Amino acid sequence: PQVNPVHGGPGGNLMGSFPNAHRMPLDVWVERQKIVGRLRLLARPGGDPKLQAYLGSPVPSLGLSIPQMRTVYREVDESHPDLRAQEAHLLAAALWSGETFEEKLFAIHLLSRHAEALDDRAWSLADSWVDEATGWALSDGLASGPISTMVRAEPKRFAEILRWTRAEHFWRRRASTYALNELVRAGELDKPFRLLERLLYDEEFWVQRAVGTWLRECWKKDPKRTEAFLRKHVKGLPPVTITVATERASKALREELRRKRKVAGKKRS
């Protein structure tokens, strides 16, 4: 899958923190302004239309690089090592309401960074962002990050992303595949195959490619099972799904699947 640009790490310092024992409540909007100010200080003059086009999103980009974003993540994370769940949610919501790609990316990072805060309120918050997370970078970062963590931690969440496969909004359908991230990484493939089967013949290119991506990731965990799945469902599979799903397969298998798909297409016509 595309590199998830959301996650940062330890280090740095931007804003002073209060002592853990008797600290004052976080002023969310003041904190938001500090973060936005820091992002804009690092921004390219006039933003970065080329980066925005690459990200495939209508949301304007300030043009920060991934290392620059990680620097600000580290600074804020170290400034607030004891951020409470409600504060994390409120600050994330405040940042998501911003105008730029980087503010929304920071909101996703906050949810990912504070795994202990991924409760029902966090799910409702992330779910409310899914249709607004247009473009692969925001959509995939949100789904493969905090949403994926919640899907694996709470079995009831899988039923919800299963419903997303029938959503009218194609970015939500795509998000359902990236929400399988932690299940697939853990080698827990029953649920991923069940969900991907529902999207095999989706007409949207961005969904077709995502299905191929996650079948490829399933292949890394269980090649035989994934090959059997592809053989079973080859009739009518979109070409891009076969191409991406079989990146780790032999050339012979890839060509065989393509031939069978074409034969199936001729029979239907």
Side-chain angles (χ1 to χ4, degrees):
Q2 291 98 347
V3 174
N4 184 341
V6 173
H7 304 289
N13 185 31
L14 173 61
M15 305 155 210
S17 59
F18 297 104
N20 290 347
H22 302 290
R23 72 173 179 85
M24 295 169 59
L26 184 74
D27 188 322
V28 169
W29 288 99
V30 168
E31 190 67 24
R32 176 189 178 275
Q33 287 303 108
K34 290 180 181 179
I35 294 171
V36 172
R38 178 67 167 132
L39 294 173
R40 291 190 178 278
L41 188 65
L42 296 170
R44 295 184 183 182
D48 192 338
K50 288 185 178 180
L51 178 60
Q52 181 182 345
Y54 169 68
L55 298 171
S57 175
V59 181
S61 170
L62 296 173
L64 273 70
S65 67
I66 290 176
Q68 286 177 316
M69 288 298 298
R70 286 176 175 163
T71 295
V72 185
Y73 292 159
R74 288 194 298 266
E75 292 171 346
V76 176
D77 290 346
E78 285 219 336
S79 302
H80 303 288
D82 57 347
L83 197 67
R84 300 182 181 110
Q86 184 178 14
E87 293 171 333
H89 297 159
L90 290 172
L91 183 56
L95 285 162
W96 186 267
S97 70
E99 300 175 347
T100 66
F101 170 81
E102 285 78 5
E103 290 170 77
K104 296 181 187 299
L105 202 62
F106 210 112
I108 297 170
H109 165 76
L110 277 172
L111 289 190
S112 296
R113 175 72 174 78
H114 297 278
E116 75 287 348
L118 294 179
D119 53 17
D120 288 347
R121 290 172 299 176
W123 177 267
S124 296
L125 186 62
D127 179 64
S128 73
W129 296 348
V130 172
D131 292 338
E132 300 172 5
T134 53
W136 66 262
L138 280 180
S139 179
D140 299 355
L142 174 61
S144 66
I147 288 177
S148 175
T149 300
M150 290 185 276
V151 166
R152 184 165 183 242
E154 287 285 345
K156 66 182 179 180
R157 301 302 179 199
F158 178 73
E160 298 191 44
I161 65 166
L162 205 59
R163 287 193 289 272
W164 293 3
T165 64
R166 297 294 181 254
E168 181 178 354
H169 198 300
F170 75 81
W171 286 113
R172 184 173 288 270
R173 300 200 304 276
R174 179 180 168 99
S176 73
T177 71
Y178 276 81
L180 301 172
N181 179 37
E182 292 204 7
L183 288 171
V184 174
R185 303 295 179 213
E188 300 168 13
L189 302 185
D190 289 350
K191 290 177 178 178
F193 278 120
R194 182 181 167 195
L195 184 142
L196 293 171
E197 185 174 358
R198 293 169 66 102
L199 291 170
L200 285 175
Y201 312 110
D202 196 286
E203 296 182 357
E204 170 57 46
F205 171 81
W206 285 104
V207 178
Q208 295 170 3
R209 185 174 181 84
V211 170
T213 294
W214 288 100
L215 285 173
R216 181 194 65 206
E217 297 308 305
C218 289
W219 183 284
K220 294 177 184 178
K221 296 295 182 179
D222 193 335
K224 289 184 179 180
R225 184 176 181 182
T226 308
E227 178 179 341
F229 182 87
L230 286 167
R231 288 182 182 279
K232 178 180 178 181
H233 298 288
V234 68
K235 294 181 180 179
L237 272 184
V240 68
T241 301
I242 293 175
T243 298
V244 178
T246 57
E247 286 179 3
R248 295 296 186 97
S250 67
K251 182 178 179 181
L253 174 62
R254 189 178 306 117
E255 292 179 348
E256 176 191 342
L257 292 173
R258 287 171 177 165
R259 284 196 305 271
K260 288 184 176 179
R261 179 202 174 274
K262 289 180 180 178
V263 169
K266 289 179 180 178
K267 286 181 179 179
R268 285 198 306 274
S269 61

